[in-house]
Amino acid sequence: MTPLPEKSLVRPNPLRDTWIVFGRQMRPVLHRPVFIVFGMLQPVLYLVLFAPLLTGLAGAEGENPWQWFVPGLLVMLALFSAGFAGFGLLPEMASGAHERMLATPAGRVSLLLGRILRDVVIMMVQMCLVIVLVLPFGLRVDVLGAIVGMLLLAVLGVGLATLSYLVALVTKQTYVFAPVLQTAVMPLMLLSGVLLPMDLAPGWLYTLSRFNPIAHVVDAQRALFAGEWGMTVWIGWLVAGGMAVVVLAVGARMLRRS
């Protein structure tokens, strides 16, 4: 009896597969870069219409509101940009494109990482544009602190985007995903101190904000932009890094099981 020939197996290469998925996800963005601008309209509106109201407010450092508000605004941008990333997966799940991608030789973790890398790159571009827009209005930042702060936001974006995709994989439908996401994002933003200093809040509300991981990232971001390198920065990195590691581990396990 003639033995059957062995099937040629394509071994997954995580770095190559992640790069291929990233290129596939970036292609529509490069063809329509205007979407990058549309994605940052809401934070820019807060910047133009809300930041001037902070002038002279206790807790906002200095007379220039940009110094206090812009670092928090960048965290808000990460929360909205990366947090809403799961919306892009829902149409692919509905059309069957996601299932076809799962059938390819690419590693399933790479399918997730390629998407996340795309989301983080877009988020970083939007943040750089916001900083460039505000510099003529008197924003002054510590260069090294700003670089480290941007890296911190990239780590936060990885965690938020991964969590958004996990929620999309579980809910599967836009009408379910949207209210779940909105219910989670709004308290995280309001309790983070992005819009108003949490030092002005009642004691119980300030205590509640300390359980919000985004609040610690906001504090670290403001410290870094001011050139301060105290314990606040380390706590922010610990919170953002810990969240990214945990949700990536959960996402990898979920995709391997699917």
Side-chain angles (χ1 to χ4, degrees):
M1 185 175 179
T2 305
L4 295 174
E6 294 183 358
K7 292 184 178 180
S8 59
L9 299 177
V10 179
R11 293 184 178 181
N13 184 323
L15 293 178
R16 180 200 62 196
D17 295 345
T18 300
W19 181 255
I20 291 174
V21 175
F22 168 72
R24 178 181 180 273
Q25 295 295 324
M26 278 297 296
R27 199 170 296 118
V29 178
L30 295 177
H31 283 274
R32 296 180 180 178
V34 69
F35 288 138
I36 296 179
V37 178
F38 279 119
M40 56 184 286
L41 281 181
Q42 185 171 4
V44 168
L45 288 176
Y46 275 103
L47 191 67
V48 174
L49 302 178
F50 190 85
L53 300 177
L54 298 175
T55 303
L57 185 66
E61 300 178 5
E63 297 181 357
N64 187 351
W66 310 117
Q67 301 294 134
W68 182 88
F69 189 65
V70 171
L73 182 77
L74 297 180
V75 179
M76 182 197 296
L77 181 57
L79 189 60
F80 282 100
S81 180
F84 283 68
F87 274 109
L89 180 61
L90 294 173
E92 295 189 15
M93 294 174 62
S95 65
H98 178 64
E99 284 71 16
R100 290 193 293 271
M101 288 295 294
L102 292 176
T104 64
R108 299 194 172 187
V109 176
S110 297
L111 296 177
L112 176 63
L113 292 178
R115 285 180 171 274
I116 295 171
L117 183 59
R118 184 274 312 269
D119 298 326
V120 171
V121 167
I122 293 175
M123 186 183 73
M124 290 290 104
V125 172
Q126 292 173 334
M127 290 178 180
C128 290
L129 290 175
V130 168
I131 294 176
V132 170
L133 286 174
V134 183
L135 283 176
F137 295 92
L139 175 67
R140 297 294 179 263
V141 298
D142 181 81
V143 176
L144 180 59
I147 294 174
V148 176
M150 296 292 283
L151 293 176
L152 172 62
L153 292 179
V155 174
L156 176 67
V158 169
L160 291 174
T162 305
L163 191 59
S164 182
Y165 286 126
L166 295 183
V167 175
L169 288 171
V170 172
T171 57
K172 295 182 174 61
Q173 302 291 336
T174 303
Y175 68 87
V176 180
F177 177 78
V180 169
L181 190 66
Q182 193 71 14
T183 302
V185 168
M186 290 307 296
L188 289 175
M189 184 186 74
L190 294 175
L191 288 175
S192 66
V194 167
L195 301 178
L196 291 171
M198 293 307 299
D199 294 337
L200 303 179
W204 66 270
L205 192 59
Y206 177 82
T207 302
L208 186 61
S209 72
R210 295 299 88 191
F211 292 94
N212 178 9
I214 307 299
H216 297 286
V217 178
V218 171
D219 294 341
Q221 191 72 3
R222 286 182 176 136
L224 286 168
F225 269 58
E228 301 171 2
W229 301 85
M231 185 57 66
T232 300
V233 174
W234 292 104
I235 294 175
W237 270 97
L238 182 64
V239 169
M243 183 175 69
V245 170
V246 170
V247 296
L248 278 174
V250 173
R253 185 170 183 178
M254 181 181 293
L255 284 175
R256 288 193 181 104
R257 286 184 168 185
S258 63

